[in-house]
CSV table of all heavy atoms in Angstrom, one decimal:
chain,number,residue,atom,x,y,z
A,1502,ARG,N,-2.3,-16.7,37.2
A,1502,ARG,CA,-3.2,-15.8,36.6
A,1502,ARG,C,-3.6,-14.7,37.6
A,1502,ARG,O,-4.0,-15.0,38.7
A,1502,ARG,CB,-4.4,-16.5,36.0
A,1502,ARG,CG,-4.1,-17.2,34.7
A,1502,ARG,CD,-5.4,-17.6,34.0
A,1502,ARG,NE,-5.1,-18.1,32.7
A,1502,ARG,CZ,-5.0,-17.4,31.6
A,1502,ARG,NH1,-5.1,-16.1,31.7
A,1502,ARG,NH2,-4.7,-18.0,30.4
A,1503,ARG,N,-3.6,-13.5,37.1
A,1503,ARG,CA,-4.1,-12.4,38.0
A,1503,ARG,C,-5.5,-12.5,38.3
A,1503,ARG,O,-5.9,-12.1,39.4
A,1503,ARG,CB,-3.8,-11.0,37.2
A,1503,ARG,CG,-2.3,-10.7,37.1
A,1503,ARG,CD,-2.2,-9.5,36.2
A,1503,ARG,NE,-2.7,-9.6,34.9
A,1503,ARG,CZ,-2.9,-8.7,34.0
A,1503,ARG,NH1,-2.7,-7.4,34.3
A,1503,ARG,NH2,-3.4,-9.0,32.8
A,1504,THR,N,-6.3,-13.0,37.4
A,1504,THR,CA,-7.7,-13.2,37.7
A,1504,THR,C,-8.0,-14.2,38.8
A,1504,THR,O,-8.9,-14.0,39.6
A,1504,THR,CB,-8.5,-13.7,36.4
A,1504,THR,OG1,-7.8,-14.9,35.9
A,1504,THR,CG2,-8.5,-12.7,35.3
A,1505,ASN,N,-7.1,-15.2,38.9
A,1505,ASN,CA,-7.3,-16.2,40.1
A,1505,ASN,C,-7.0,-15.5,41.4
A,1505,ASN,O,-7.8,-15.7,42.4
A,1505,ASN,CB,-6.3,-17.3,39.9
A,1505,ASN,CG,-6.7,-18.2,38.7
A,1505,ASN,OD1,-7.8,-18.1,38.1
A,1505,ASN,ND2,-5.8,-19.1,38.3
A,1506,VAL,N,-6.0,-14.7,41.4
A,1506,VAL,CA,-5.7,-13.9,42.7
A,1506,VAL,C,-6.8,-12.9,43.0
A,1506,VAL,O,-7.3,-12.8,44.2
A,1506,VAL,CB,-4.4,-13.1,42.5
A,1506,VAL,CG1,-4.0,-12.3,43.8
A,1506,VAL,CG2,-3.2,-14.0,42.1
A,1507,ASN,N,-7.3,-12.2,42.0
A,1507,ASN,CA,-8.4,-11.3,42.2
A,1507,ASN,C,-9.7,-12.0,42.7
A,1507,ASN,O,-10.4,-11.5,43.6
A,1507,ASN,CB,-8.7,-10.5,40.9
A,1507,ASN,CG,-9.5,-9.3,41.1
A,1507,ASN,OD1,-9.2,-8.4,41.9
A,1507,ASN,ND2,-10.7,-9.2,40.5
A,1508,SER,N,-10.0,-13.1,42.1
A,1508,SER,CA,-11.2,-13.9,42.5
A,1508,SER,C,-11.1,-14.3,44.0
A,1508,SER,O,-12.1,-14.2,44.7
A,1508,SER,CB,-11.4,-15.1,41.6
A,1508,SER,OG,-11.7,-14.6,40.3
A,1509,GLU,N,-9.9,-14.8,44.4
A,1509,GLU,CA,-9.7,-15.2,45.8
A,1509,GLU,C,-9.8,-14.1,46.7
A,1509,GLU,O,-10.4,-14.2,47.8
A,1509,GLU,CB,-8.3,-15.9,45.9
A,1509,GLU,CG,-8.0,-16.4,47.3
A,1509,GLU,CD,-8.9,-17.5,47.7
A,1509,GLU,OE1,-9.7,-18.1,46.9
A,1509,GLU,OE2,-8.8,-17.9,48.9
A,1510,LEU,N,-9.3,-12.9,46.4
A,1510,LEU,CA,-9.4,-11.8,47.2
A,1510,LEU,C,-10.9,-11.4,47.4
A,1510,LEU,O,-11.3,-11.1,48.6
A,1510,LEU,CB,-8.6,-10.6,46.6
A,1510,LEU,CG,-8.8,-9.2,47.3
A,1510,LEU,CD1,-8.2,-9.2,48.7
A,1510,LEU,CD2,-8.2,-8.1,46.5
A,1511,GLN,N,-11.6,-11.3,46.4
A,1511,GLN,CA,-13.0,-10.9,46.4
A,1511,GLN,C,-13.8,-11.9,47.2
A,1511,GLN,O,-14.7,-11.5,47.9
A,1511,GLN,CB,-13.5,-10.7,45.0
A,1511,GLN,CG,-12.9,-9.5,44.3
A,1511,GLN,CD,-13.4,-9.3,42.9
A,1511,GLN,OE1,-13.8,-10.2,42.3
A,1511,GLN,NE2,-13.3,-8.1,42.4
A,1512,ARG,N,-13.5,-13.2,47.1
A,1512,ARG,CA,-14.2,-14.2,47.8
A,1512,ARG,C,-14.0,-14.0,49.3
A,1512,ARG,O,-14.9,-14.1,50.1
A,1512,ARG,CB,-13.7,-15.6,47.4
A,1512,ARG,CG,-14.4,-16.7,48.1
A,1512,ARG,CD,-13.8,-18.1,47.9
A,1512,ARG,NE,-12.5,-18.1,48.6
A,1512,ARG,CZ,-12.3,-18.4,49.9
A,1512,ARG,NH1,-13.4,-18.6,50.7
A,1512,ARG,NH2,-11.2,-18.5,50.4
A,1513,ILE,N,-12.7,-13.8,49.8
A,1513,ILE,CA,-12.4,-13.6,51.2
A,1513,ILE,C,-13.1,-12.3,51.7
A,1513,ILE,O,-13.7,-12.4,52.8
A,1513,ILE,CB,-10.9,-13.5,51.4
A,1513,ILE,CG1,-10.2,-14.8,51.0
A,1513,ILE,CG2,-10.6,-13.1,52.8
A,1513,ILE,CD1,-8.7,-14.8,51.0
A,1514,LEU,N,-13.0,-11.2,51.0
A,1514,LEU,CA,-13.5,-10.0,51.5
A,1514,LEU,C,-15.1,-10.0,51.6
A,1514,LEU,O,-15.7,-9.5,52.5
A,1514,LEU,CB,-13.1,-8.8,50.6
A,1514,LEU,CG,-11.6,-8.4,50.6
A,1514,LEU,CD1,-11.3,-7.3,49.6
A,1514,LEU,CD2,-11.2,-8.0,52.0
A,1515,GLU,N,-15.7,-10.7,50.7
A,1515,GLU,CA,-17.2,-10.8,50.7
A,1515,GLU,C,-17.6,-11.7,51.8
A,1515,GLU,O,-18.6,-11.4,52.5
A,1515,GLU,CB,-17.7,-11.2,49.4
A,1515,GLU,CG,-19.2,-11.3,49.3
A,1515,GLU,CD,-19.8,-11.6,47.9
A,1515,GLU,OE1,-18.9,-11.9,47.0
A,1515,GLU,OE2,-21.0,-11.7,47.8
A,1516,ARG,N,-16.9,-12.8,52.0
A,1516,ARG,CA,-17.3,-13.8,52.9
A,1516,ARG,C,-17.1,-13.4,54.4
A,1516,ARG,O,-18.0,-13.5,55.2
A,1516,ARG,CB,-16.6,-15.1,52.7
A,1516,ARG,CG,-16.9,-16.3,53.7
A,1516,ARG,CD,-16.3,-17.5,53.3
A,1516,ARG,NE,-16.6,-18.6,54.3
A,1516,ARG,CZ,-16.2,-19.8,54.2
A,1516,ARG,NH1,-15.4,-20.2,53.2
A,1516,ARG,NH2,-16.5,-20.7,55.1
A,1517,TYR,N,-16.0,-12.8,54.6
A,1517,TYR,CA,-15.6,-12.5,56.0
A,1517,TYR,C,-15.7,-11.0,56.4
A,1517,TYR,O,-15.8,-10.7,57.6
A,1517,TYR,CB,-14.1,-12.9,56.2
A,1517,TYR,CG,-13.9,-14.4,56.1
A,1517,TYR,CD1,-13.2,-14.9,55.0
A,1517,TYR,CD2,-14.3,-15.3,57.1
A,1517,TYR,CE1,-13.0,-16.3,54.9
A,1517,TYR,CE2,-14.1,-16.6,57.0
A,1517,TYR,CZ,-13.4,-17.1,55.8
A,1517,TYR,OH,-13.2,-18.5,55.7
A,1518,PHE,N,-15.8,-10.1,55.4
A,1518,PHE,CA,-15.9,-8.7,55.8
A,1518,PHE,C,-17.1,-8.0,55.1
A,1518,PHE,O,-17.2,-6.8,55.3
A,1518,PHE,CB,-14.6,-8.0,55.4
A,1518,PHE,CG,-13.4,-8.6,56.0
A,1518,PHE,CD1,-12.6,-9.6,55.3
A,1518,PHE,CD2,-13.0,-8.3,57.3
A,1518,PHE,CE1,-11.5,-10.2,55.8
A,1518,PHE,CE2,-11.9,-8.9,57.9
A,1518,PHE,CZ,-11.1,-9.8,57.1
A,1519,ASP,N,-17.9,-8.7,54.3
A,1519,ASP,CA,-19.0,-8.1,53.7
A,1519,ASP,C,-18.6,-6.9,52.7
A,1519,ASP,O,-19.3,-5.9,52.7
A,1519,ASP,CB,-20.1,-7.7,54.7
A,1519,ASP,CG,-21.4,-7.4,54.0
A,1519,ASP,OD1,-21.7,-8.1,53.0
A,1519,ASP,OD2,-22.2,-6.6,54.5
A,1520,ILE,N,-17.4,-7.1,52.1
A,1520,ILE,CA,-16.9,-6.0,51.2
A,1520,ILE,C,-17.0,-6.5,49.8
A,1520,ILE,O,-16.4,-7.6,49.5
A,1520,ILE,CB,-15.5,-5.6,51.6
A,1520,ILE,CG1,-15.4,-5.0,53.0
A,1520,ILE,CG2,-14.9,-4.6,50.6
A,1520,ILE,CD1,-14.0,-4.8,53.5
A,1521,THR,N,-17.6,-5.8,48.9
A,1521,THR,CA,-17.8,-6.4,47.5
A,1521,THR,C,-17.3,-5.4,46.4
A,1521,THR,O,-17.4,-5.7,45.3
A,1521,THR,CB,-19.3,-6.5,47.3
A,1521,THR,OG1,-20.0,-5.3,47.4
A,1521,THR,CG2,-19.9,-7.5,48.2
A,1522,ASP,N,-16.6,-4.3,46.8
A,1522,ASP,CA,-16.2,-3.3,45.8
A,1522,ASP,C,-14.7,-3.2,45.8
A,1522,ASP,O,-14.1,-2.1,45.5
A,1522,ASP,CB,-16.8,-2.0,46.0
A,1522,ASP,CG,-16.6,-1.4,47.4
A,1522,ASP,OD1,-16.1,-2.1,48.3
A,1522,ASP,OD2,-16.9,-0.2,47.6
Side-chain angles (χ1 to χ4, degrees):
R1502 282 197 173 272
R1503 292 173 298 167
T1504 52
N1505 292 346
V1506 180
N1507 194 56
S1508 296
E1509 180 65 8
L1510 172 67
Q1511 293 177 334
R1512 183 192 68 80
I1513 293 172
L1514 291 178
E1515 183 173 1
R1516 179 176 181 180
Y1517 296 104
F1518 303 97
D1519 196 28
I1520 297 174
T1521 59
D1522 57 346

